[in-house]
Amino acid sequence: MNTKEYIEIEEKFGAHNYHPLDVVIEKGEGVWVWDVDGNKYLDCLAAYSAVNQGHCHPRIIKAMKEQAEKVTLTSRAFRNNQLPLLCKELCEMTGYEMVLPMNSGAEAVETALKAVRKWGYTIKKVPENQAEIIVCTNNFAGRTISIVSFSTEEQYKSGFGPLTPGYKVVKYGDVKDFEKAITPNTVAFIVEPIQGEGGVIVPPAGYLKQTYDLCKKNNILFVADEIQSGLGRSGKMFAFMYDDIKPDMVTIGKALSGGCYPVSAVLSSKDILGVFKPGDHGSTFGGNPLGCAVARESLKVLVEEGLIEKSHELGNYFRDKLNEIGSNLVKEIRGKGLFIGVELKPEAGGARKYCEGLKNLGVLCKETHDNVIRFAPPLVIKKEEIDWAVEQVKKVLV
Ligand SMILES: *Cc1c(COP(=O)(O)O)cnc(C)c1O
């Protein structure tokens, strides 16, 4: 079957909750993917940063195969011999004390929401059902009802009410706005250190540190959503590490499993995650041995192959090269590490058609927020591959 035939079947039998580029991928290796017609593409999206280690990384695939032949799922009714090691290795690698594993990013965020509320009632002594969580404009944290309840994107919420109460939205990057929103019932501030879906938005210098200090002063938990920005994407293990802070809680997902299996987690202290008692929270697949074995190897690959440092160095290189194009259509090029947003001017007429153009030249990327092209290739990309990608970008942005 060819591309057209696959698309027809998907359109007929699959729900239309996405608007993908019309490329049907059947194989991936490192930064490259191949479609069913044999065309080859450089992947500059990396599955929204879930494939930081590159497609089908041989070490991760090997770990997955070996574990799949032993045992894949025990449920948490019993223990398994991979979960303890993943928790320990994650803590040693990040400096946190405790881990709660889940599957998708949205589930990690839901877990964080439950944890900070329960912490608010049991430790901070907020009156029952009064807990408030502060979030930012332009946030993205997943698609569950409670998470879209605090989205500022109308389409994410419209038609899905009644929504979950208990959130206050403040302007991303505005410390004063954050300070004004604090009340005695505020339990947490949930923030992306760099907004990914929002268009690769880096907040003003000092924003994270100042909001963090306000959280400390007011006994509010600072929760960093690093599901997209974390695990090397920004050129550091976590994007918050560019600032002098240590969030009380961090959510991770996406690249935690190198794109091989859905694995997410919440990292925090014993005091905070300790609010969960047996029966409070759970997931049938959360902490399963297959996912844990994959995540353990994915983390090792990230560190042992120096991918975090590579992201830092090559991100600067990629941005410099994009700047050198000097296109009149570009309003701003921003980001950290290999987490790059190219915002186009309104007269460019939206980012979609440039992504279509790049696809035809063999570079896959996806528009975000209508006028931003995100470049976030697997961190295993080489300089020559960046050079080649930039040549293609130059062709569409003339
Ligand atoms: C992708 C993402 C999520 C949700 O992850 P899913 O695995 O899609 O549920 C949450 N937060 C951020 C910052 C993300 O980029």
Side-chain angles (χ1 to χ4, degrees), residues 104-106 109 140-142 192 197 225 227-228 254:
S104 66
V109 174
F140 183 84
E192 294 158 86
E197 295 315 292
D225 183 349
I227 290 169
Q228 187 161 163
K254 294 196 167 113

Side-chain angles (χ1 to χ4, degrees), residues 226-275:
E226 292 267 5
I227 290 169
Q228 187 161 163
S229 56
L231 304 179
R233 176 49 62 189
S234 75
K236 301 245 186 210
M237 173 62 102
F238 295 118
F240 70 72
M241 289 175 166
Y242 284 97
D243 299 78
D244 181 26
I245 62 173
K246 185 171 183 208
D248 299 291
M249 185 176 279
V250 184
T251 53
I252 55 175
K254 294 196 167 113
L256 180 53
S257 59
C260 289
Y261 198 91
V263 185
S264 67
V266 174
L267 312 173
S268 190
S269 63
K270 281 182 183 153
D271 287 348
I272 299 167
L273 278 181
V275 301

Side-chain angles (χ1 to χ4, degrees), residues 40 73 96 101 110 171 176 208 223 264 358 378 385 391:
K40 183 182 175 187
L73 182 62
Y96 283 90
E110 285 279 344
K171 194 162 175 286
K176 285 262 152 16
L208 294 174
V223 182
S264 67
L358 281 170
E385 291 163 337
E391 272 171 46

Side-chain angles (χ1 to χ4, degrees), residues 83 260 360:
L83 174 62
C260 289
N360 295 333

